[in-house]
Amino acid sequence: MYQYLFRRLLLFVPTMLLATIMVFALFSIVPGDAAVFLLTGEDAGGRVTNDDFERLRSDLGLDRPVYIQYADWLWGVVQGDLGNSLYYGSPFGLELLERFARTFELAVLAIVMAFIAAVPLGILSAMKQDSGVDYASRVIALLGIAMPTFWIGVLVIYGLTYGFNWGPPLVYAHLWEAPWENLKLMLLPAAVVGFHDMAFTARVTRSAMLEVMREDYMRTARSKGLREWVVVSRHALKNALLPVITVSGYQFGRLLGGVIIVEQIFVVPGVGTFLIDGIRHRDFPVIQGVILMTAAVVLLLNLVIDMLYGILDPRIRYS
Amino acid sequence: MIVRDLWHPRTLLAAGAGAALLAAVACGGTAAPAPAQTGDTGGSSTGSSQPSAAATPTLDPFAGVQEPTPTANLAATNTPVPVPTAMAVDERPEWWIEGESKHYRGDFPLVATSNPGFWDVHYGGSMNTVLIPSGPRFNQLLEYNPVSPGEIIGDLAVSWESYEDGDEFGYIFNLHPDANFSDGQPVTADDVVFSINRITLGQVEEGVLRARTGFLNNFVKYGTASAIDDKTVKIPLRFPAAGFLPNLASDYMKIYPKHVAENLTQEQANKGVVQVEAVKAINAGTPTSLIGSGPWMLREWEKDVGYTFDRNPNYFKEGRPFFDGLRIFLIRDTARRISALQTGQVFGTYQPVTGSNRPEDMARLEEDSNGQVRAFILEASGIQAFFLNHDKPPFDDARVRRAFYLGLDRDLGVEKSILGFGQPGTFFAPGVVEDLEGLRATNPAYGDREAALTEARQLLADAGLADGFEITLNVVNSNPSLSSAEVVAPQMREDLNIDIVIEPTDLATMYVGLRDGVANFNSVGTGIILRDPGDIINQFYLQDVLRNPHNWQNDRVDELINLQNREVDPAARQAHLEELAGILHQGESHWLPYFWYSSGGALDYRIRNFYYPATVQLIKKWDHVWFDEDRAPLPAGVKGYQP
């Protein structure tokens, strides 16, 4: 078990390294750098000379060969320094910390909402296969999968605006300082994101339940005279949850990377907003840092899920 | 139904409902079939993103309006008029007194789109990320009159006069006796001298960036400004120049406190530090950031959320500003921004910017809010143009460049790309040098399409390109750049057999492609700071500037640039500029204007005293407007924002 854990952790290093190299390579292929944005701005006016560019590029260290820039950044990472944001001039770690907490909260809320809605829906759908309830639940699930979250987000905003002349708060309040204000801002985007994830999870739950319910041990359980809810909850659900947890874990990792458009629509100052600004500003340390963080989170979550498998299913042993 | 209606929120909601129903039907559920009408709407909506010959081209939200329109306001601002006899120090016009009586007790909410970048206005190069967040903290010597934007009036200066002393020519400015910085120190002539020297420092020191204040180098030699006494400053000019005062009045030309700024590194000056901490550090003798003399002081800045200003209680323009605080929310998403305006969460947009606040969206917002939120549409705030690499084929042949100039259907661009919110692209701001109607009558590129195309085809044939050619367009992936590319590509293919492959990129990539000559054909929209022709010349026709990357040059153009720069007689300067425009209209330069576009913004109708500035870059202090809660709703027939 520990050997397996160690091996998996060791594999993190080349995976993350590969991710950063790929991002860096892509980034260096595309022309343009932070100096251009800093000088021209979004409105692209003013007299800017080529010398101005070269000076600023030099100030930012962008005139060095690409591999030197990468090596410099990597050496910093090894020492625990993820570099400074080119746009803000401040340490990336500091910039990320607070934003990550907000995105983490959004992701937790979304995944919890999705899970709470999806599992009963999936079970119900499986139990009442091909009934009206099953069709309705499948329709809901398909809608959630088919409609992109940013589209649902815009519809929600417009619906609230034109239907109720109301908009969600514009100011982020910290969860521990003003919980109600915080939830007023976070619940809607969490519900929007959660709707999408709920749909997917509900479908996985349904198919897993259908598969499990055809197993011999289910027939045995029923023939023992157990009540249906005991059969479902104790025998079927426990076995059907494995793929559901895998899917939820994957979704949670994805959410932690930032729900870019939804964060923008609902004015949540999280990692997604940070990343999209980083891309617009050509802020290389920010993009690399966020990618590195996302890769680490996804890898870690995958590992946690794999470990959970062993707990949920005693037949699975790692060596 | 016209194209814009397809993007109406209600249409989107209907389309969403339609999509839901269609999905339900498609997945074999039990939902009823979607009504045909709803499905049609969704289908049309999808198809509307492509320019279509059948689309209704124009949108005139102010059709039939008898009241003053944005155009009318703009017409009055074409030529800035310096007003050297400023009002007496203690004189306050009626609007000032009225504004003070309507003082808003609380933070006044506005919406902007970008996080602040650099907080040093001398240094930074962007309106959105530099001027907007930082500008309200400072004053200039002069400013564009916020209630009559065509005039230049004193800001820190109460009066000024020109002088001649032998070969020397310049201006003497008298400073306001009560002007103080927000740490209580008086604004003195030394501060002005320091600031002018700081702005022009790049003349003597390597590595000094002055992205939008560098214009002053054309007029002022570093180190020549001097203090006559505490409140009087002399600024000699390199030569008598009509463009000096209009540039000095630009919102970028801020006066900094010498006792603070001279002790700051550039990195410190670029940082945004809240007022309390900034003053504490100054009082401790170790300043860490800039402060100003302006109407507002930075209270708070939370990245990605917004920033807030406190009113400067000791502002020398007593009684102003007319709010306790100014709160700027950062909302990047257009739908959310419109929602915030419509639901009254914010009272206005901080600035009009095309692409963020599209004029058509603002006009529709006015309709949807039943006139509560008023659209203000600033005409000709930016120019969409094509950059031709005159160093490489096919545009190294002047005949091909002129063929392109002739072939562009500018009216079509205005109609399709920006839905009528603009006008055909002249080289200088509309009405300043060229007369569009005159051009239509005399220049086929603007009038007689058949004649223009005939000549263009002949020019291409002469250049050996009778069968046309294929070229890739390096274009910014936002509107109106992208929408203009979508219009010009089929038009040029049809008219001149020029096959344009559109390659959309982000702004940074586009500029690098342009600068490095990787792309031979480029397109980007550009804002202007001043309507003065010097702004266009500085941006596009000087050597070694970003927007003239391969140094297109013409001897007579260079002569005329110098002549107009030095000319103080407006009529004589105008003659030079008209000759210059005539040369550029031969269509052989590297830069070909397509259209001038408008910018949109919105204000609650109860905001009073806001007048249309000459460009989006001017009048950014928000110290002259007030909120009149008792204002009666505007009559139904009145369109647009009314001061």
Side-chain angles (χ1 to χ4, degrees):
Chain A
M1 172 79 168
Y2 291 110
Q3 216 175 20
Y4 172 80
L5 197 64
F6 180 71
R7 267 209 317 270
R8 285 287 298 269
L9 286 171
L10 211 61
L11 274 173
F12 278 19
V13 178
T15 311
M16 284 164 65
L17 203 62
L18 198 66
T20 61
I21 289 172
M22 281 172 70
V23 173
F24 199 88
L26 286 172
F27 211 68
S28 57
I29 290 168
V30 181
D33 56 45
V36 179
F37 186 87
L38 288 170
L39 280 180
T40 60
E42 290 161 13
D43 39 313
R47 183 183 75 168
V48 179
T49 66
N50 291 331
D51 282 349
D52 291 336
F53 268 116
E54 294 314 321
R55 279 183 205 126
L56 191 57
R57 293 188 83 239
S58 172
D59 287 352
L60 298 172
L62 300 172
D63 56 343
R64 298 171 301 165
V66 171
Y67 64 90
I68 300 270
Q69 289 182 52
Y70 180 71
D72 193 35
W73 175 81
L74 198 61
W75 179 238
V77 172
V78 170
Q79 295 172 307
D81 175 12
L82 285 160
N84 284 356
S85 158
L86 299 178
Y87 189 71
Y88 296 120
S90 46
F92 166 79
L94 277 181
E95 295 289 341
L96 179 74
L97 203 62
E98 204 166 350
R99 290 175 172 96
F100 183 75
R102 296 163 188 156
T103 296
F104 184 79
E105 183 194 346
L106 181 62
V108 168
L109 278 173
I111 217 78
V112 166
M113 287 165 91
F115 203 81
I116 287 173
V119 173
L121 201 66
I123 294 171
L124 202 63
S125 191
M127 300 278 296
K128 309 277 183 191
Q129 192 184 4
D130 295 332
S131 68
V133 174
D134 185 26
Y135 283 130
S137 117
R138 284 160 66 184
V139 167
I140 293 169
L142 274 171
L143 277 179
I145 291 168
M147 293 170 75
T149 49
F150 67 82
W151 172 254
I152 302 172
V154 169
L155 289 181
V156 167
I157 289 291
Y158 278 149
L160 292 169
T161 303
Y162 287 90
F164 304 96
N165 198 33
W166 183 85
L170 295 175
V171 181
Y172 177 82
H174 294 270
L175 179 62
W176 309 120
E177 291 168 10
W180 177 234
E181 291 305 313
N182 173 280
L183 287 177
K184 276 204 293 192
L185 176 69
M186 299 297 261
L187 278 177
L188 272 175
V192 167
V193 175
F195 181 58
H196 177 80
D197 291 347
M198 177 275 293
F200 199 62
T201 310
R203 281 184 71 83
V204 172
T205 308
R206 179 180 179 274
S207 56
M209 282 293 287
L210 284 175
E211 201 179 315
V212 168
M213 282 168 68
R214 292 190 189 105
E215 294 286 340
D216 289 345
Y217 59 81
M218 293 298 292
R219 196 172 54 242
T220 309
R222 285 200 181 95
S223 65
K224 282 197 301 187
L226 292 175
R227 273 174 292 183
E228 187 63 16
W229 71 269
V230 178
V231 174
V232 169
S233 61
R234 195 176 295 169
H235 295 274
L237 186 59
K238 194 172 176 188
N239 287 296
L241 269 183
L242 280 177
V244 176
I245 286 171
T246 309
V247 166
S248 297
Y250 163 74
Q251 286 172 335
F252 189 60
R254 183 178 54 81
L255 293 180
L256 286 180
V259 193
I260 294 173
I261 308 290
V262 172
E263 280 188 4
Q264 295 234 357
I265 291 172
F266 289 94
V267 206
V268 176
V271 175
T273 304
F274 191 36
L275 178 61
I276 206 159
D277 267 3
I279 293 168
R280 281 169 61 215
H281 299 159
R282 284 289 200 276
D283 199 340
F284 157 71
V286 166
I287 299 168
Q288 279 285 46
V290 172
I291 299 289
L292 191 72
M293 186 269 304
T294 308
V297 166
V298 169
L299 287 171
L300 210 61
L301 274 172
N302 282 348
L303 183 62
V304 170
I305 289 161
D306 285 351
M307 294 293 110
L308 269 179
Y309 270 22
I311 296 166
L312 288 171
D313 188 346
R315 292 170 301 180
I316 299 172
R317 286 283 175 270
Y318 298 109
S319 58
Chain B
M1 178 178 282
I2 59 177
V3 172
R4 74 181 181 105
D5 287 342
L6 297 175
W7 295 107
H8 191 284
R10 290 196 185 96
T11 314
L12 289 176
L13 284 169
L21 288 171
L22 285 170
V25 172
C27 73
T30 54
Q37 196 181 354
T38 312
D40 289 344
T41 306
S44 303
S45 177
T46 307
S48 68
S49 61
Q50 297 298 321
S52 152
T56 307
T58 55
L59 169 68
D60 182 5
F62 302 119
V65 176
Q66 298 303 314
E67 294 296 316
T69 64
T71 311
N73 280 320
L74 190 68
T77 64
N78 278 340
T79 312
V81 182
V83 183
T85 48
M87 70 180 79
V89 169
D90 55 355
E91 186 185 332
R92 296 201 294 173
E94 258 178 47
W95 63 261
W96 189 329
I97 296 161
E98 188 181 353
E100 200 175 358
S101 74
K102 300 277 186 186
H103 189 104
Y104 184 87
R105 302 291 169 195
D107 291 344
F108 195 76
L110 294 171
V111 61
T113 56
S114 302
N115 271 309
F118 302 133
W119 290 80
D120 177 358
V121 188
H122 292 172
Y123 178 89
S126 161
M127 177 184 74
N128 281 318
T129 62
V130 177
L131 181 61
I132 282 177
S134 203
R137 300 191 296 156
F138 303 96
N139 292 100
Q140 307 96 251
L141 262 183
L142 307 177
E143 65 176 350
Y144 286 86
N145 189 347
V147 298
S148 177
E151 292 177 356
I152 292 169
I153 59 170
D155 190 6
L156 282 169
V158 288
S159 64
W160 67 92
E161 59 190 353
S162 61
Y163 73 90
E164 269 187 86
D165 183 6
D167 287 344
E168 191 178 297
F169 175 91
Y171 287 91
I172 292 173
F173 296 88
N174 301 301
L175 303 181
H176 196 291
D178 302 328
N180 288 325
F181 290 105
S182 55
D183 65 345
Q185 295 296 309
V187 178
T188 66
D190 281 344
D191 295 309
V192 177
V193 170
F194 170 80
S195 300
I196 298 293
N197 285 341
R198 192 173 189 272
I199 287 171
T200 55
L201 185 62
Q203 295 172 27
V204 293
E205 203 170 287
E206 277 284 308
V208 175
L209 177 62
R210 297 290 179 261
R212 296 205 180 178
T213 47
F215 294 111
L216 219 56
N217 290 330
N218 294 342
F219 309 108
V220 181
K221 195 174 169 190
Y222 172 82
T224 55
S226 60
I228 294 175
D229 60 41
D230 252 14
K231 291 287 181 181
T232 313
V233 63
K234 184 168 86 165
I235 304 179
L237 302 187
R238 292 175 186 271
F239 44 78
F244 172 63
L245 292 184
N247 272 285
L248 193 68
S250 144
D251 277 41
Y252 289 92
M253 304 295 178
K254 301 297 189 185
I255 302 302
Y256 288 171
K258 183 184 176 197
H259 65 285
V260 175
E262 71 182 351
N263 296 313
L264 296 177
T265 63
Q266 186 57 57
E267 197 178 340
Q268 287 175 315
N270 284 341
K271 294 279 182 201
V273 177
V274 297
Q275 177 74 11
V276 175
E277 285 177 26
V279 171
K280 201 192 286 180
I282 292 166
N283 290 340
T286 52
T288 55
S289 66
L290 290 165
I291 55 155
S293 58
W296 301 102
M297 308 179 303
L298 185 66
R299 182 202 305 165
E300 191 181 16
W301 171 32
E302 191 168 359
K303 287 166 191 163
D304 302 337
V305 176
Y307 42 94
T308 313
F309 296 104
D310 279 321
R311 178 177 182 269
N312 179 356
N314 302 314
Y315 191 38
F316 67 96
K317 296 179 185 178
E318 198 187 332
R320 292 161 70 177
F322 307 127
F323 316 119
D324 279 354
L326 198 59
R327 181 161 207 169
I328 316 298
F329 294 100
L330 300 178
I331 309 179
R332 292 169 187 75
D333 182 72
T334 302
R336 186 69 191 90
R337 206 163 46 245
I338 288 173
S339 161
L341 286 160
Q342 174 137 352
T343 56
Q345 289 181 299
V346 294
F347 288 165
T349 51
Y350 195 113
Q351 85 288 10
V353 176
T354 295
S356 294
N357 303 316
R358 298 187 310 169
E360 57 267 35
D361 288 341
M362 298 298 109
R364 193 161 57 211
L365 178 63
E366 180 173 316
E367 289 170 19
D368 289 347
S369 67
N370 296 320
Q372 173 96 7
V373 185
R374 316 294 300 194
F376 68 84
I377 292 164
L378 193 62
E379 291 197 358
S381 61
I383 182 155
Q384 188 67 41
F386 296 97
F387 293 78
L388 315 180
N389 186 343
H390 58 94
D391 270 355
K392 289 186 181 170
F395 294 121
D396 56 347
D397 187 327
R399 291 170 297 187
V400 181
R401 297 201 293 276
R402 176 161 170 80
F404 218 91
Y405 163 81
L406 289 164
L408 285 173
D409 189 341
R410 295 171 178 81
D411 286 311
L412 186 74
V414 171
E415 184 182 302
K416 299 279 188 191
S417 174
I418 49 175
L419 305 178
F421 287 97
Q423 52 188 294
T426 46
F427 283 91
F428 297 105
V432 175
V433 177
E434 304 119 300
D435 165 35
L436 184 59
E437 290 315 308
L439 277 176
R440 286 192 190 284
T442 57
N443 186 334
Y446 292 82
D448 187 345
R449 285 289 300 156
E450 274 314 305
L453 291 178
T454 304
E455 187 186 341
R457 288 180 192 124
Q458 186 58 51
L459 285 165
L460 288 176
D462 294 347
L465 297 167
D467 296 331
F469 57 91
E470 183 184 310
I471 191 148
T472 300
L473 176 61
N474 173 38
V475 57
V476 177
N477 58 5
S478 61
N479 288 331
S481 296
L482 193 54
S483 63
S484 68
E486 288 168 345
V487 174
V488 88
Q491 182 252 308
M492 282 302 218
R493 189 178 302 122
E494 189 178 326
D495 288 341
L496 295 180
N497 204 26
I498 295 174
D499 202 3
I500 295 173
V501 179
I502 299 172
E503 195 171 280
T505 66
D506 62 289
L507 188 75
T509 307
M510 199 293 308
Y511 267 116
V512 170
L514 166 69
R515 185 191 64 176
D516 295 349
V518 175
N520 295 333
F521 183 37
N522 312 271
S523 177
V524 62
T526 309
I528 54 170
I529 298 174
L530 305 174
R531 289 175 64 77
D532 186 90
D535 196 3
I536 291 288
I537 291 168
N538 280 324
Q539 289 197 54
F540 299 98
Y541 288 107
L542 297 186
Q543 303 295 290
D544 293 319
V545 292
L546 172 68
R547 296 181 184 90
N548 186 10
H550 309 294
N551 290 332
W552 180 84
Q553 186 263 344
N554 171 298
D555 288 344
R556 184 59 186 157
V557 165
D558 289 350
E559 280 173 30
L560 288 165
I561 287 173
N562 278 327
L563 286 170
Q564 65 82 32
N565 224 2
R566 293 165 180 267
E567 186 56 68
V568 284
D569 173 24
R573 184 179 184 231
Q574 184 73 7
H576 295 318
L577 289 165
E578 283 173 9
E579 186 186 344
L580 176 55
I583 296 171
L584 297 178
H585 276 292
Q586 289 169 10
E588 295 179 359
S589 80
H590 69 293
W591 184 67
L592 299 182
Y594 190 32
F595 54 70
W596 285 92
Y597 53 79
S598 307
S599 290
L603 292 174
D604 189 290
Y605 79 100
R606 292 164 294 181
I607 292 180
R608 307 298 301 267
N609 212 37
F610 183 89
Y611 289 84
Y612 290 82
T615 75
V616 293
Q617 309 259 357
L618 301 175
I619 307 179
K620 296 285 181 203
K621 292 200 196 79
W622 289 91
D623 66 338
H624 64 291
V625 300
W626 66 87
F627 188 69
D628 183 358
E629 277 180 291
D630 305 322
R631 188 182 196 185
L634 297 172
V638 176
K639 300 286 184 189
Y641 172 77
Q642 304 295 323

